[in-house]
Amino acid sequence: MVVKLQRPILVGGLGLSFSLWMLDSWHDSIVQVGEFGLLSALAVGGGLWLFQKNRPKDSLKQLDGMVVDRTTVESAISIAETVINQLAQEAENHTALETLREQVAQLLLELDRQEIKVAVTGGKSVGKSTLIKVLKENVETRNLVSLEETAPLFREAADNSDAAVLAEVAKSDFVLFLTNGDLTDSEFQALQQLKAANQPTILVLNKQDQYLADESASVLLSLKQRMQGNVVATAASPIPIKVRKHETDGSVQEWMEQPAPNIQQLTQQLDEVLVQQGQRLVWVTTMRKAGLLKAEAKNWLNGTRRDRATPIIEQYQWIAAAAAFANPVPALDILATAAINAQMVMDLGNIYQQKFSLEQAQTVAGTMGSLMLKLGLVELSTKAISTVLKSNAVTFVAGGVVQGVSAAYLTRVAGLSLVEYFQQQEIAIDSRTGLNLENLRQTLQKVFGQNQQIGFLQGFVKQSVKRLLPEVQQVELVGVEKFVG
């Protein structure tokens, strides 16, 4: 007789997990039932119940929510190409154009790709390499799948390395995310990023044979509750078990035996996904890549446009400064230089393909001025600039300096806010649709905060004073030079 002495693995764990849940639910209604008999019965029923709950169709739920077909993907590629063409039109010798166009051509070829790319990822020592080896030997559709191991997640300097790994994962069609226990916060956040990117994923509890049955069941149940399905347990390389053989003469022989990998549920789900959803997986990945390509091209385009916008903003900030300095007005009326800001709106709009008539530009300038007043930005900036200027009496009493510097500063904030706002839009939006005031408000606050640091203000005041005051008067500004320098 041969007896295998081993720790219970998944089958018992699954049944016991359901048993514990059922016992808790039925606690008040169970009377006069033997504990062992009940657990045994529930183990069988629970195993069957969990098997039904985790049939491969559940792993397809995430895909079912993605409305994507070839036409949709082709449209996404076309949009990315439109951004690239716009970049070529505005910067025909841009260094990124060749690479971007090559990526478009590759995306068109991707539409008919047959091989499904599966990324196997997770932290260190979770069994990625071993699982890949076993899967290659057991997945029925292995001729259609490419299993690629990523670098480990959650290493030192994780901010950079994890981002690089997840960027590689984003290029795959399907993800097997391995863990060997309940999720850490880092693992959960990584899984949430994959979910947000519409990356179909199965969470794999590997090395589950290293737990006792009740521990394994508890961990598995916790994972299912946190991830809402798409969780399977495996043992790619089970712990060797001791085998004892009793001979007829009464002697006993013992040896260690390696159990077969326990990956049946995972291979079943993978085969199901690859057969039923292979083409859709390719389209979803291609569409995701098209979105990333569009974002990359738009970043290059925005950079080119910002380079053209910056000198325009600087030109109008100094025009506004000179106008306010020559004809000082009360601090809260600084934005009365609406004509100057309106022309800046038109010029910036032309750069960002946002065409404004003079009347529309005046409305935009007035709207921004009103928002600045309501948000308190005018008062805050005037006080901050006054504080810097008060370090030197000669400078402070010079007529219109506060107003001039403040006008320049607020015109700069308005210009940078428009640039930031336009960059958030698509390539060209009909200006007749008007501004999104909430987005503009948030953008103004963000840009104001970025340009409110004391170091920037000191430098800006120094630069403004040199422009506004005659050279003979600047000789007397030693105090300001020391303070703002």
Side-chain angles (χ1 to χ4, degrees), residues 158-177:
D159 287 345
N160 293 327
S161 60
D162 285 0
V165 172
L166 292 175
E168 285 301 310
V169 170
K171 299 176 183 178
S172 63
D173 304 308
F174 202 86
V175 181
L176 299 181
F177 192 104

mmCIF file of all heavy atoms in Angstrom, residues 158-177:
data_model
loop_
_atom_site.group_PDB
_atom_site.id
_atom_site.type_symbol
_atom_site.label_atom_id
_atom_site.label_comp_id
_atom_site.label_asym_id
_atom_site.label_seq_id
_atom_site.Cartn_x
_atom_site.Cartn_y
_atom_site.Cartn_z
ATOM 1 N N ALA A 158 11.209 52.049 -6.743
ATOM 2 C CA ALA A 158 10.053 51.479 -7.434
ATOM 3 C C ALA A 158 9.328 52.483 -8.314
ATOM 4 O O ALA A 158 8.711 52.115 -9.299
ATOM 5 C CB ALA A 158 9.072 50.901 -6.409
ATOM 6 N N ASP A 159 9.389 53.774 -7.951
ATOM 7 C CA ASP A 159 8.642 54.769 -8.713
ATOM 8 C C ASP A 159 9.007 54.713 -10.193
ATOM 9 O O ASP A 159 8.150 54.800 -11.069
ATOM 10 C CB ASP A 159 8.913 56.175 -8.176
ATOM 11 C CG ASP A 159 8.211 56.387 -6.839
ATOM 12 O OD1 ASP A 159 7.328 55.579 -6.502
ATOM 13 O OD2 ASP A 159 8.565 57.355 -6.174
ATOM 14 N N ASN A 160 10.317 54.574 -10.478
ATOM 15 C CA ASN A 160 10.761 54.557 -11.864
ATOM 16 C C ASN A 160 10.662 53.166 -12.470
ATOM 17 O O ASN A 160 10.167 53.000 -13.582
ATOM 18 C CB ASN A 160 12.205 55.073 -11.965
ATOM 19 C CG ASN A 160 12.308 56.545 -11.613
ATOM 20 O OD1 ASN A 160 11.388 57.312 -11.882
ATOM 21 N ND2 ASN A 160 13.411 56.935 -11.008
ATOM 22 N N SER A 161 11.140 52.152 -11.732
ATOM 23 C CA SER A 161 11.175 50.809 -12.293
ATOM 24 C C SER A 161 9.773 50.252 -12.494
ATOM 25 O O SER A 161 9.490 49.605 -13.512
ATOM 26 C CB SER A 161 11.985 49.873 -11.390
ATOM 27 O OG SER A 161 11.413 49.808 -10.093
ATOM 28 N N ASP A 162 8.860 50.497 -11.563
ATOM 29 C CA ASP A 162 7.493 49.997 -11.701
ATOM 30 C C ASP A 162 6.796 50.635 -12.892
ATOM 31 O O ASP A 162 6.061 49.974 -13.625
ATOM 32 C CB ASP A 162 6.693 50.272 -10.422
ATOM 33 C CG ASP A 162 7.082 49.335 -9.293
ATOM 34 O OD1 ASP A 162 7.969 48.492 -9.506
ATOM 35 O OD2 ASP A 162 6.504 49.451 -8.201
ATOM 36 N N ALA A 163 7.017 51.930 -13.081
ATOM 37 C CA ALA A 163 6.403 52.614 -14.218
ATOM 38 C C ALA A 163 6.895 52.021 -15.528
ATOM 39 O O ALA A 163 6.117 51.833 -16.476
ATOM 40 C CB ALA A 163 6.713 54.113 -14.157
ATOM 41 N N ALA A 164 8.186 51.688 -15.581
ATOM 42 C CA ALA A 164 8.746 51.097 -16.802
ATOM 43 C C ALA A 164 8.154 49.715 -17.056
ATOM 44 O O ALA A 164 7.824 49.361 -18.195
ATOM 45 C CB ALA A 164 10.267 51.007 -16.684
ATOM 46 N N VAL A 165 8.010 48.921 -15.990
ATOM 47 C CA VAL A 165 7.432 47.578 -16.141
ATOM 48 C C VAL A 165 5.984 47.669 -16.608
ATOM 49 O O VAL A 165 5.562 46.967 -17.538
ATOM 50 C CB VAL A 165 7.512 46.793 -14.809
ATOM 51 C CG1 VAL A 165 6.737 45.480 -14.919
ATOM 52 C CG2 VAL A 165 8.968 46.505 -14.451
ATOM 53 N N LEU A 166 5.210 48.544 -15.980
ATOM 54 C CA LEU A 166 3.803 48.678 -16.351
ATOM 55 C C LEU A 166 3.652 49.225 -17.763
ATOM 56 O O LEU A 166 2.684 48.909 -18.463
ATOM 57 C CB LEU A 166 3.078 49.577 -15.348
ATOM 58 C CG LEU A 166 2.924 48.982 -13.943
ATOM 59 C CD1 LEU A 166 2.306 49.992 -12.991
ATOM 60 C CD2 LEU A 166 2.079 47.713 -13.975
ATOM 61 N N ALA A 167 4.602 50.041 -18.202
ATOM 62 C CA ALA A 167 4.577 50.524 -19.588
ATOM 63 C C ALA A 167 4.786 49.370 -20.558
ATOM 64 O O ALA A 167 4.162 49.317 -21.629
ATOM 65 C CB ALA A 167 5.647 51.595 -19.790
ATOM 66 N N GLU A 168 5.647 48.429 -20.187
ATOM 67 C CA GLU A 168 5.849 47.241 -21.028
ATOM 68 C C GLU A 168 4.614 46.352 -21.008
ATOM 69 O O GLU A 168 4.200 45.810 -22.031
ATOM 70 C CB GLU A 168 7.068 46.455 -20.531
ATOM 71 C CG GLU A 168 8.405 47.099 -20.882
ATOM 72 C CD GLU A 168 8.576 47.251 -22.386
ATOM 73 O OE1 GLU A 168 8.365 46.264 -23.111
ATOM 74 O OE2 GLU A 168 8.902 48.358 -22.822
ATOM 75 N N VAL A 169 4.025 46.210 -19.829
ATOM 76 C CA VAL A 169 2.812 45.400 -19.699
ATOM 77 C C VAL A 169 1.700 45.951 -20.589
ATOM 78 O O VAL A 169 0.904 45.198 -21.166
ATOM 79 C CB VAL A 169 2.349 45.350 -18.230
ATOM 80 C CG1 VAL A 169 0.966 44.726 -18.110
ATOM 81 C CG2 VAL A 169 3.353 44.556 -17.391
ATOM 82 N N ALA A 170 1.640 47.272 -20.730
ATOM 83 C CA ALA A 170 0.582 47.916 -21.519
ATOM 84 C C ALA A 170 0.635 47.505 -22.989
ATOM 85 O O ALA A 170 -0.351 47.639 -23.712
ATOM 86 C CB ALA A 170 0.689 49.436 -21.401
ATOM 87 N N LYS A 171 1.770 46.978 -23.438
ATOM 88 C CA LYS A 171 1.900 46.567 -24.836
ATOM 89 C C LYS A 171 1.385 45.144 -25.072
ATOM 90 O O LYS A 171 1.328 44.683 -26.216
ATOM 91 C CB LYS A 171 3.367 46.647 -25.259
ATOM 92 C CG LYS A 171 3.958 48.053 -25.160
ATOM 93 C CD LYS A 171 5.439 48.062 -25.504
ATOM 94 C CE LYS A 171 6.036 49.455 -25.339
ATOM 95 N NZ LYS A 171 7.496 49.469 -25.618
ATOM 96 N N SER A 172 1.021 44.448 -23.993
ATOM 97 C CA SER A 172 0.550 43.065 -24.121
ATOM 98 C C SER A 172 -0.964 43.026 -24.270
ATOM 99 O O SER A 172 -1.661 43.999 -24.004
ATOM 100 C CB SER A 172 0.982 42.245 -22.908
ATOM 101 O OG SER A 172 0.375 42.758 -21.741
ATOM 102 N N ASP A 173 -1.468 41.863 -24.691
ATOM 103 C CA ASP A 173 -2.910 41.698 -24.893
ATOM 104 C C ASP A 173 -3.611 41.221 -23.630
ATOM 105 O O ASP A 173 -4.803 41.484 -23.441
ATOM 106 C CB ASP A 173 -3.169 40.680 -26.014
ATOM 107 C CG ASP A 173 -2.473 41.065 -27.304
ATOM 108 O OD1 ASP A 173 -2.658 42.213 -27.738
ATOM 109 O OD2 ASP A 173 -1.754 40.221 -27.876
ATOM 110 N N PHE A 174 -2.879 40.496 -22.797
ATOM 111 C CA PHE A 174 -3.479 39.904 -21.610
ATOM 112 C C PHE A 174 -2.404 39.827 -20.536
ATOM 113 O O PHE A 174 -1.217 39.731 -20.842
ATOM 114 C CB PHE A 174 -4.015 38.504 -21.930
ATOM 115 C CG PHE A 174 -5.085 38.032 -20.988
ATOM 116 C CD1 PHE A 174 -6.414 38.362 -21.201
ATOM 117 C CD2 PHE A 174 -4.772 37.252 -19.879
ATOM 118 C CE1 PHE A 174 -7.412 37.938 -20.339
ATOM 119 C CE2 PHE A 174 -5.752 36.822 -19.013
ATOM 120 C CZ PHE A 174 -7.087 37.158 -19.248
ATOM 121 N N VAL A 175 -2.841 39.890 -19.277
ATOM 122 C CA VAL A 175 -1.877 39.926 -18.170
ATOM 123 C C VAL A 175 -2.195 38.843 -17.151
ATOM 124 O O VAL A 175 -3.343 38.673 -16.743
ATOM 125 C CB VAL A 175 -1.895 41.296 -17.459
ATOM 126 C CG1 VAL A 175 -0.859 41.320 -16.331
ATOM 127 C CG2 VAL A 175 -1.628 42.420 -18.445
ATOM 128 N N LEU A 176 -1.155 38.113 -16.768
ATOM 129 C CA LEU A 176 -1.229 37.228 -15.606
ATOM 130 C C LEU A 176 -0.432 37.911 -14.503
ATOM 131 O O LEU A 176 0.788 38.050 -14.598
ATOM 132 C CB LEU A 176 -0.640 35.853 -15.921
ATOM 133 C CG LEU A 176 -1.315 35.061 -17.039
ATOM 134 C CD1 LEU A 176 -0.627 33.704 -17.215
ATOM 135 C CD2 LEU A 176 -2.794 34.874 -16.771
ATOM 136 N N PHE A 177 -1.139 38.359 -13.476
ATOM 137 C CA PHE A 177 -0.495 39.074 -12.371
ATOM 138 C C PHE A 177 -0.356 38.103 -11.209
ATOM 139 O O PHE A 177 -1.353 37.679 -10.619
ATOM 140 C CB PHE A 177 -1.345 40.278 -11.961
ATOM 141 C CG PHE A 177 -0.634 41.236 -11.041
ATOM 142 C CD1 PHE A 177 -0.146 42.443 -11.515
ATOM 143 C CD2 PHE A 177 -0.452 40.937 -9.691
ATOM 144 C CE1 PHE A 177 0.506 43.336 -10.658
ATOM 145 C CE2 PHE A 177 0.194 41.801 -8.842
ATOM 146 C CZ PHE A 177 0.683 43.005 -9.323
#
